[in-house]
Amino acid sequence: MARGIARAVSFGGRATAGWCSYRRVTVAVCLGNLVAALLVLRSLTAPASFAPTAPNPGGVVQYTEEQIKRVEESIRIRHQAEPVELVQAVKKLQKVFAREEKRRKKLPLVLKQKISYDIVHRLQDLGDNGSLAQQREVVESWRAEKLKDIKSASTQNQSSLDLSNEETRMLKRALEFNWRMLMEDIGLWIPEEVTHTVHDDKPENEPEEQEIIAGPPLSPQCNAELHTDYGGAAVRWGLTHHKESAADCCQACLDQAKNAKPGELKCNIWVYCPSEFGCYSPDKYEHKHQECWLKQADHPKLNFKDKYSESYRDVHPTAPVVVPWMSGVISA
C-alpha cells in the first residue's frame, strides 16, 4: 500500500514537472501578452461611447447664452472692420470705367484711322517748327470744325471725313464727351507746355551774396575772379599740378615768376578748379578738382566769363551753364 502511494506521488510529480516546463510557460506568457495587446488595441480604435442622452427634437443644436454672445460679438466686429466707404468708392469707379470702356468699344477702328489721318495731315501743314501750343491749337481747331460740320450736316453726311450717318453720330458723341479718350485711342498725345517764370522777390539795393572760396584768403595781388577762365601760354600744366586751395595756386604763380630763370616764361595768370566734380573744358582731357594752371600772356584775354552762351552749348552739349573755373591776373 505504501509503495503504491509512493509510486503514485512520484508519477504525479513527474507529470507536473513535465507539464510546467520552461517552453510551455514561455508560450503561455506570450499568449497572455497577445490577448492583452489585442484588448488594448480594440479599446483605442473603437468609437468613443457616450452615455445615452435625451433625443434632440427636430435636430436643432442648443447653444448657451455665453456662446450666443460670442457669436454676436464676432459678427459685430467683422461688420465694423469692413471698409464700407472704400468698397462703395471702388464700385462707383468700376461703373464709370465700365461705361467708358463700353463707349470706347463702340467707335470702330476704321473711323479712328480716318480721324488719325486727318489730324496728322493738319499737323504736317503746321511744319516741324510748330510749338506745342500751336499743335494743340491746330488739334482743337480741327475738333471745333468737325463738331460744327457734324451739327450742320443733313441726313446725308457732308463732312470732309465722308462718314455714314451712324459713324457721324458716334463721332459727334466722342468729340463732345470722350475727346481725351479718343485722343488716347488714336495715339495722339501732346505734352503740356511748362512755362518757367523766375520771380525775383529780393528787395532792391540788397547786396549780392558772395560765394565762399574754400581755403585761406587770397592776396589782393591775385585779383581772383569767380567763374572765369583766362587764356595764355601754359607755364605749368594743371593736369599734373594740383593745389589745396585757390590761394595756394596763386602763390604758386607768384613763386614761379619770382624764381624763373632767364629766358623762361614768367607766370602772370593762374586758373584754378574749385569744384569737387571737376571743371569743364572743350579739350579732350578730364579736368579734376584742385587743378592749378599757371599761364603767361602779355595781354591776358578771357576764354569764358560767368556763363557759357546758348550758342556755345548748342555746339558743345556737355558744357554746363556756369563757368566752373576761377582765375586771376597777377598785379605787376
Side-chain angles (χ1 to χ4, degrees):
M1 186 67 181
R3 291 181 178 178
I5 294 173
R7 289 178 181 177
V9 170
S10 63
F11 178 78
R14 287 196 300 272
T16 304
W19 184 85
C20 295
S21 65
Y22 176 76
R23 181 180 297 176
R24 291 182 178 181
V25 171
T26 302
V27 172
V29 171
C30 290
L31 290 175
N33 291 337
L34 181 60
V35 171
L38 290 175
L39 292 175
V40 172
L41 182 62
R42 181 182 179 184
S43 65
L44 293 175
T45 56
S49 59
F50 298 94
T53 57
N56 190 0
V60 179
V61 180
Q62 300 293 332
Y63 294 100
T64 63
E65 293 184 0
E66 183 67 21
Q67 291 175 333
I68 294 175
K69 289 181 180 180
R70 290 183 179 180
V71 172
E72 291 176 350
E73 184 179 3
S74 176
I75 295 174
R76 179 181 57 81
I77 294 174
R78 187 166 58 252
H79 283 308
Q80 291 179 351
E82 291 180 355
V84 180
E85 296 181 358
L86 179 61
V87 172
Q88 293 177 353
V90 170
K91 289 181 179 179
K92 290 181 180 179
L93 287 176
Q94 289 177 343
K95 292 180 180 179
V96 172
F97 292 152
R99 287 197 300 266
E100 292 182 355
E101 189 66 22
K102 186 177 180 181
R103 292 176 180 175
R104 179 180 300 201
K105 290 181 179 179
K106 287 185 178 180
L107 203 61
L109 178 62
V110 177
L111 179 56
K112 295 177 184 177
Q113 291 176 345
K114 290 181 180 180
I115 297 171
S116 177
Y117 293 152
D118 198 25
I119 293 178
V120 169
H121 181 70
R122 290 288 187 92
L123 292 175
Q124 287 177 348
D125 294 340
L126 181 62
D128 297 334
N129 297 326
S131 63
L132 295 177
Q134 291 175 334
Q135 294 177 8
R136 192 175 294 105
E137 184 179 355
V138 167
V139 175
E140 290 296 332
S141 175
W142 177 90
R143 177 191 178 193
E145 290 178 6
K146 293 309 167 191
L147 279 173
K148 183 178 180 181
D149 183 25
I150 291 172
K151 291 179 180 179
S152 62
S154 58
T155 306
Q156 295 181 352
N157 184 44
Q158 300 176 356
S159 68
S160 59
L161 288 175
D162 298 328
L163 305 176
S164 64
N165 293 334
E166 179 64 19
E167 290 177 339
T168 302
R169 182 184 63 81
M170 296 171 63
L171 177 59
K172 179 176 179 294
R173 187 172 64 178
L175 292 177
E176 286 183 338
F177 304 108
N178 301 321
W179 172 236
R180 291 188 177 275
M181 188 163 51
L182 177 60
M183 292 177 65
E184 292 179 3
D185 286 345
I186 64 177
L188 177 63
W189 179 73
I190 302 176
E192 295 292 337
E193 190 171 15
V194 179
T195 304
H196 178 67
T197 304
V198 179
H199 298 279
D200 187 7
D201 54 356
K202 185 165 53 176
E204 296 183 358
N205 301 325
E206 183 176 349
E208 295 287 340
E209 294 183 0
Q210 294 184 354
E211 295 187 34
I212 300 176
I213 302 175
L218 285 90
S219 170
Q221 192 177 2
C222 297
N223 298 315
E225 299 180 45
L226 292 174
H227 308 297
T228 306
D229 181 14
Y230 276 99
V235 177
R236 185 72 183 271
W237 275 51
L239 295 175
T240 57
H241 184 234
H242 289 198
K243 293 296 180 180
E244 292 292 330
S245 65
D248 294 335
C249 183
C250 174
Q251 187 61 44
C253 182
L254 294 172
D255 294 341
Q256 192 278 335
K258 180 179 179 181
N259 300 322
K261 297 179 181 179
E264 290 184 347
L265 294 176
K266 292 184 178 181
C267 175
N268 66 337
I269 300 172
W270 60 273
V271 182
Y272 184 71
C273 178
S275 174
E276 295 182 356
F277 305 100
C279 294
Y280 168 80
S281 182
D283 55 34
K284 63 180 181 179
Y285 302 105
E286 181 182 357
H287 298 276
K288 299 182 179 180
H289 181 215
Q290 296 182 343
E291 281 190 13
C292 176
W293 288 76
L294 306 184
K295 302 181 180 180
Q296 194 278 333
D298 295 335
H299 303 284
K301 294 182 180 179
L302 283 171
N303 287 334
F304 303 101
K305 180 70 174 178
D306 294 334
K307 296 181 180 181
Y308 296 103
S309 64
E310 293 186 5
S311 59
Y312 181 84
R313 285 189 284 117
D314 291 339
V315 180
H316 303 82
T318 58
V321 176
V322 179
V323 177
W325 299 92
M326 62 180 301
S327 306
V329 178
I330 302 298
S331 301

